[in-house]
């Protein structure tokens, strides 16, 4: 490996970075022609966010893509944004912002290494094979320097991998624990195999829910690749707007984003629609990773019992089993997922606070929060639907 100096550059427009160069760091595993581990840090996904106006402009997400080069070759990169708020992140720091501002400081803008609007675990420090250590160190050092030189309140890397968390802590970053619910494929060949691992009562409940959902008066169909059509996205946009208006006030993604998914990412998408007489009335959008199916958005124009559970959770399990995938990530929050076979897991993030006093206070908070998350996961796991004893199966 060359000992040449590493050059760090920030870009506000992803078109200034060659797609092959970025993806050589973001998804080197896809060089074999298969899917990336996850599509969210690929050039095509981040470019779709930018080109659609979902980031940039007045969105509060100003791109500051970071690229590290050595001998003229990109060895590492990171999707970094200057944030004017804390929306669309799913690892919440609103209380941090309020505390900082009560003390007379300006919490925003801050720097965020993340995939906008996407609470999915994945690499945030994207490293070309062979440059893992030097690339990671270069990105962390550069990001912390940018934070300090511009007198910014903080730097955050959210939904990073456990390995990144460990490496970041060794470089002085603070680690934070949070919680999600994931479904794990324990070698199941069919959905019934999965049900067989549950207690009798929970198994019956899921079958009842699936039957109720299937009785909405139409058919459930899944589309991916060339089976996806523009009119599917017209329908899903209506669903997404309804959900976004109820949850966030204003949907994060623009209509153009879904057109760009159709154009450039339809092989990465799995759209499950509930249709009556050929007209969709509800839908759930998933993105396809190499070994993980990522549930992202849901919406409906009609209410039907259990249809949300069917489209978002049970259909995702069906498709993960059929694809031989090991996990389904069903997005943020939702204790109700436990009864549907999803297990609580720890998610990770990394943080840099230049101010010593504020950093000490945040460090105390993170220590207490981590203990609480660990205890919650232990308790919630005990309430899961899986069989624990032979007697339970005989109920």
């Amino acid at each position: 490996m060359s000992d040449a100096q590493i050059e760090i550059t920030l870009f506000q427009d992803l078109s200034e970075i060659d797609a092959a160069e970025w993806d050589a760091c973001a998804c080197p595993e896809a060089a074999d022609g298969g899917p990336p581990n996850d599509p969210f840090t690929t050039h095509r996904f981040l470019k779709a966010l930018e080109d659609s106006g979902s980031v940039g402009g007045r969105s509060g997400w100003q791109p500051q893509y970071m690229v590290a080069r050595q001998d003229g070759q990109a060895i590492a990169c990171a999707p970094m944004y200057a944030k004017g708020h804390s929306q669309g992140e799913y690892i919440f720091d609103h209380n941090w912002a309020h505390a900082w501002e009560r003390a007379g400081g300006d919490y925003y803008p801050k720097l965020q290494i993340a995939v906008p609007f996407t609470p999915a675990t994945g690499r945030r420090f994207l490293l070309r094979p062979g440059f893992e250590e030097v690339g990671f160190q270069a990105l962390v050092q550069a990001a912390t320097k940018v934070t300090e030189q511009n007198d910014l309140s903080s730097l955050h890397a959210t939904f990073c991998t456990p390995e990144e968390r460990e490496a970041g802590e060794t470089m002085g970053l603070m680690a934070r624990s949070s919680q999600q619910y994931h479904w794990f494929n324990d070698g199941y060949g069919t959905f019934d195999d999965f049900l067989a691992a549950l207690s009798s009562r929970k198994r019956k409940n899921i079958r009842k829910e699936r039957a109720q959902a299937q009785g909405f008066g139409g058919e459930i169909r899944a589309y991916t690749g060339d089976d996806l059509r523009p009119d599917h996205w017209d329908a899903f946009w209506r669903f997404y707007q309804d959900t976004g208006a109820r949850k966030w006030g204003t949907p994060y993604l623009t209509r153009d984003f879904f057109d760009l998914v159709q154009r450039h990412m339809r092989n990465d998408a799995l759209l499950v629609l509930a249709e009556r007489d050929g007209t969709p009335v509800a839908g759930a959008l998933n993105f396809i990773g190499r070994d993980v199916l990522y549930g992202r958005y849901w919406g409906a124009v009609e209410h039907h019992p259990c249809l949300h559970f069917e489209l978002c959770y049970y259909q995702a399990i069906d498709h993960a089993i059929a694809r031989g995938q090991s996990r389904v990530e069903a997005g943020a929050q939702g204790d109700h997922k436990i009864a549907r076979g999803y297990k609580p897991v720890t998610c990770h993030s990394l943080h840099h606070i230049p101010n010593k006093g504020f950093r000490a206070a945040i460090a105390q908070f993170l220590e207490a929060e981590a203990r609480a998350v660990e205890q919650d996961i232990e308790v919630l796991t005990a309430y899961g639907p899986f069989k624990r004893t032979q007697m339970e199966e005989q109920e």
Side-chain angles (χ1 to χ4, degrees), residues 54-376:
S54 300
V55 301
R58 297 183 179 181
S59 68
W61 292 81
Q62 301 306 317
Q64 302 289 327
Y65 309 110
M66 180 175 288
V67 178
R69 287 193 173 91
Q70 189 177 66
D71 293 328
Q73 173 183 247
I75 63 168
C77 51
M80 189 166 71
Y81 300 84
K83 287 297 305 296
H85 52 64
S86 291
Q87 304 302 318
E89 298 172 11
Y90 301 95
I91 292 180
F92 302 112
D93 63 347
H94 297 96
N95 290 339
W96 301 7
H98 294 158
W100 184 251
E101 289 165 359
R102 283 197 300 270
D106 293 322
Y107 192 72
Y108 307 107
K110 61 178 182 175
L111 285 181
Q112 192 89 15
I113 298 175
V115 179
F117 327 122
T118 307
T121 292
R123 294 188 305 133
R124 297 296 172 257
F125 301 89
L126 313 176
L127 312 173
R128 183 186 287 267
F131 296 87
E132 288 85 357
E133 183 175 355
V134 65
F136 184 85
Q137 291 176 354
L139 291 177
V140 170
Q141 290 170 358
T144 55
K145 182 178 289 188
V146 169
T147 304
E148 294 166 2
Q149 288 181 341
N150 289 277
D151 197 26
L152 302 178
S153 69
S154 52
L155 164 72
H156 312 264
T158 45
F159 292 101
C160 63
T161 67
E163 295 78 13
E164 289 175 324
R165 172 183 175 141
E166 182 178 353
E169 284 187 287
T170 65
M171 295 187 66
L173 300 181
M174 295 187 295
R176 186 178 188 184
S177 299
S178 56
Q179 180 187 308
Q180 275 188 351
Y181 299 92
H182 299 173
W183 177 85
F184 294 91
N185 186 350
D186 192 18
Y188 306 126
T190 66
F191 194 91
D192 282 342
D193 291 342
F194 157 62
L195 289 180
L198 307 184
S199 67
S200 175
R201 183 168 59 87
K202 296 297 185 182
R203 186 163 59 241
K204 291 175 182 177
N205 185 65
I206 289 177
R207 284 177 172 151
K208 180 180 178 181
E209 288 185 343
R210 297 205 79 176
Q212 283 185 297
Q214 296 282 351
F216 78 99
E219 296 181 307
I220 294 173
R221 294 188 175 94
Y223 301 92
T224 187
D226 290 340
D227 290 335
L228 280 165
R229 303 189 308 268
D231 60 286
H232 291 144
W233 298 110
D234 291 336
F236 189 76
W237 172 245
R238 294 193 297 273
F239 307 151
Y240 174 72
Q241 280 186 301
D242 178 71
T243 301
R246 286 186 286 106
K247 285 190 174 182
W248 317 302
T250 302
Y252 294 136
L253 300 172
T254 68
R255 176 66 182 85
D256 287 345
F257 173 79
F258 298 101
D259 287 336
L260 292 170
V261 170
Q262 170 68 17
R263 193 177 309 160
H264 302 298
M265 297 192 66
R266 56 185 179 271
N267 290 327
D268 300 298
L270 175 69
L271 184 59
V272 182
L273 297 176
E275 301 174 345
R276 186 190 301 109
D277 298 325
T279 300
V281 300
L285 175 60
N286 306 269
F287 282 93
I288 302 167
R290 179 165 288 226
D291 196 41
V292 182
L293 188 65
Y294 299 91
R296 288 304 302 114
Y297 302 106
W298 140 269
V301 293
E302 297 178 2
H303 173 72
H304 296 278
C306 301
L307 193 57
H308 171 255
F309 300 149
E310 175 66 23
L311 296 190
C312 294
Y313 307 141
Y314 302 142
Q315 286 286 323
I317 291 172
D318 273 336
H319 287 280
I321 291 173
R323 292 172 176 271
Q325 293 174 304
S326 69
R327 192 168 80 251
V328 175
E329 291 195 18
Q333 289 104 37
D335 291 356
H336 60 277
K337 296 170 184 171
I338 294 176
R340 278 91 205 169
Y342 288 71
K343 298 180 179 180
V345 298
T346 303
C347 296
H348 307 281
S349 58
L350 291 165
H351 308 268
H352 174 62
I353 310 287
N355 182 278
K356 291 183 179 179
F358 192 40
R359 182 167 66 245
I362 294 296
Q364 287 185 326
F365 168 81
L366 293 179
E367 185 176 346
E369 184 184 48
R371 289 196 299 268
V373 168
E374 184 178 0
Q375 291 170 359
D376 283 349

